[in-house]
Amino acid sequence: MKVTIEERVLHFKQPAGTSRGVYTERRSWFVTVSDGERCGVGECAPLPDLSCDARPDYGKVLRGFCDRLEKTGEIPYEAMRDYPSMLFGLETAMLSLEGAESTLYDTPFSRGEVGIPINGLVWMGSYEEMLRRMEEKLEQGYHCVKLKIGAIDFEHELDLVRRIRERFSHREVELRLDANGGFPYDEALYKLELLSQYAIHSVEQPIRQGQWARMAELCRDAPLPIALDEELIGVNDPGQKRQLLRIVKPAYIVLKPSLHGGISGCREWIALAREEGVGSWITSALESNVGLNAIAQFCADVYGPDIRMPQGLGTGRLFTDNIPMSLEIRGERLWISRNS
């Protein structure tokens, strides 16, 4: 078995505002696994200042894991628990090696028979930019919209939420908010109470991660459901995962394979969450189409063919130089087109 690595920089069509700043480009490492007859490709895409395995010597560490894969033919899962984006890339490459035509799992979605419902995402920006983006998503017919907040002052963000509810009831449009840890703890409950009057589905990560006791208080006292996202980063041991869920008791967890343990780590999170009565959904994390394809197929496999909860999957339209793949948006669903 031979494993090669290609480092590439992808460029955003528009600057992507996140809780960690504004991205104009995206650096990924593409791993190709070959057995002499077939090959499979996976994407390793850490997010700077967010991924627990984002490090200056990323390429060198990844090469070490690839060397072990070459020698044994197996992914060193336990050794890679703390390197989720690398693990995700190797898992994808091996699944791709075993599949055909970018098929990682044999599901109705991968066969192009059904689509996965997704939410429309409104990126952080100025008030005018966010209002325009929100209007676009509503006009496109999305029945679930996720609004990233924390980039502008709270009163303007509250006004955006109010505008949605003036036009659409909670039965017509499900509204999710992602605070990216932006609320100060001593203001969080008050802000959540103000938001609760607008029938919000959930608020992701209202305060910064690493404050389990305070997050548990919010999950207990807040008048709307709370979902964990950044809180899960770096929590890679199964026992610690269960402890987090039992202490904090969130309504939902939001899983990104590149951040939360790769495919195997996310399966672990989902199984533990089900045992604890915690809901979950899956999102992408600014990967190219290679990563998005893997995340979408994993989503279809782990949740089954009749997915009702909208997932946070990207659209493949982020980059000017994305890698071509048979992914497309039809209405508010992500599909694999097997005719292209």
Side-chain angles (χ1 to χ4, degrees):
M1 179 174 291
K2 183 174 179 58
V3 184
T4 59
I5 303 172
E6 178 190 3
E7 183 179 350
R8 292 184 59 173
V9 176
L10 303 175
H11 300 86
F12 286 97
K13 292 179 179 178
Q14 297 179 345
T18 73
S19 61
R20 298 310 191 273
V22 178
Y23 293 145
T24 58
E25 60 183 33
R26 184 77 162 92
R27 189 175 303 275
S28 293
W29 285 257
F30 292 89
V31 175
T32 300
V33 179
S34 174
D35 63 4
E37 297 180 359
R38 305 166 299 166
C39 66
V41 180
E43 180 180 8
C44 304
L47 285 169
D49 301 321
L50 186 60
S51 298
C52 64
D53 57 355
R55 46 193 295 161
D57 60 347
Y58 189 91
K60 181 180 178 181
V61 175
L62 176 59
R63 182 67 258 175
F65 288 127
C66 290
D67 289 344
R68 292 177 66 172
L69 176 58
E70 278 188 336
K71 291 177 182 178
T72 66
E74 297 180 355
I75 297 171
Y77 283 99
E78 286 303 315
M80 296 189 72
R81 273 192 179 273
D82 293 331
Y83 302 89
S85 66
M86 300 184 197
L87 177 57
F88 173 61
L90 266 61
E91 288 176 314
T92 301
M94 290 298 285
L95 287 167
S96 177
L97 179 70
E98 297 163 4
E101 296 184 14
S102 303
T103 298
L104 309 187
Y105 300 97
D106 184 16
T107 66
F109 171 73
S110 69
R111 296 192 295 269
E113 298 168 4
V114 300
I116 297 174
I118 60 174
N119 60 243
L121 177 61
V122 176
W123 285 98
M124 291 180 177
S126 69
Y127 176 78
E128 291 75 18
E129 288 170 338
M130 293 180 72
L131 180 61
R132 174 178 53 80
R133 292 166 186 165
M134 182 179 71
E135 294 286 349
E136 288 174 354
K137 295 303 177 186
L138 296 175
E139 289 172 3
Q140 289 167 6
Y142 281 93
H143 291 88
C144 178
V145 176
K146 177 177 173 178
L147 186 67
K148 281 185 172 288
I149 59 178
I152 57 178
D153 69 88
F154 182 71
E155 291 302 320
H156 276 118
E157 291 170 339
L158 202 61
D159 184 59
L160 288 172
V161 173
R162 177 183 58 78
R163 283 173 179 258
I164 294 177
R165 282 292 171 251
E166 285 178 347
R167 291 179 53 190
F168 300 97
S169 73
H170 69 279
R171 295 182 182 84
E172 296 171 294
V173 174
E174 179 180 286
L175 188 57
R176 299 173 179 174
L177 303 180
D178 185 359
N180 289 115
F183 294 169
Y185 171 71
D186 57 359
E187 300 175 9
L189 188 58
Y190 174 67
K191 290 182 175 180
L192 292 171
E193 287 172 347
L194 291 177
L195 290 168
S196 69
Q197 64 186 308
Y198 297 111
I200 305 299
H201 171 271
S202 57
V203 176
E204 288 179 42
Q205 202 68 41
I207 61 175
R208 61 179 174 80
Q209 66 267 39
Q211 306 178 82
W212 289 15
R214 288 181 167 183
M215 188 68 83
E217 289 180 10
L218 288 178
C219 289
R220 183 191 66 211
D221 299 336
L224 44 72
I226 290 177
L228 302 185
D229 180 356
E230 288 93 339
E231 198 71 65
L232 312 179
I233 296 173
V235 181
N236 300 313
D237 175 76
Q240 194 177 19
K241 290 179 180 180
R242 188 185 299 276
Q243 184 182 31
L244 171 59
L245 294 173
R246 288 183 173 177
I247 290 174
V248 179
K249 294 182 171 61
Y252 302 99
I253 56 174
V254 184
L255 296 165
K256 299 178 175 73
S258 290
L259 293 173
H260 301 134
I263 291 172
S264 54
C266 285
R267 284 191 190 277
E268 201 169 66
W269 271 117
I270 292 168
L272 291 169
R274 284 172 175 166
E275 291 177 14
E276 300 298 327
V278 175
S280 66
W281 69 86
I282 291 172
T283 81
S284 51
L286 305 179
E287 294 89 355
S288 76
N289 277 335
V290 172
L292 175 59
N293 175 64
I295 294 168
Q297 291 198 47
F298 162 58
C299 180
D301 183 66
V302 75
Y303 289 134
D306 190 24
I307 301 175
R308 297 186 180 276
M309 177 175 283
Q311 306 294 302
L313 303 179
T315 63
R317 302 170 182 168
L318 289 174
F319 304 106
T320 60
D321 44 6
N322 208 338
I323 296 167
M325 198 159 284
S326 301
L327 295 167
E328 62 183 26
I329 302 295
R330 301 180 206 162
E332 54 184 344
R333 289 178 176 262
L334 179 69
W335 291 77
I336 288 181
S337 175
R338 288 307 182 193
N339 297 321
S340 60

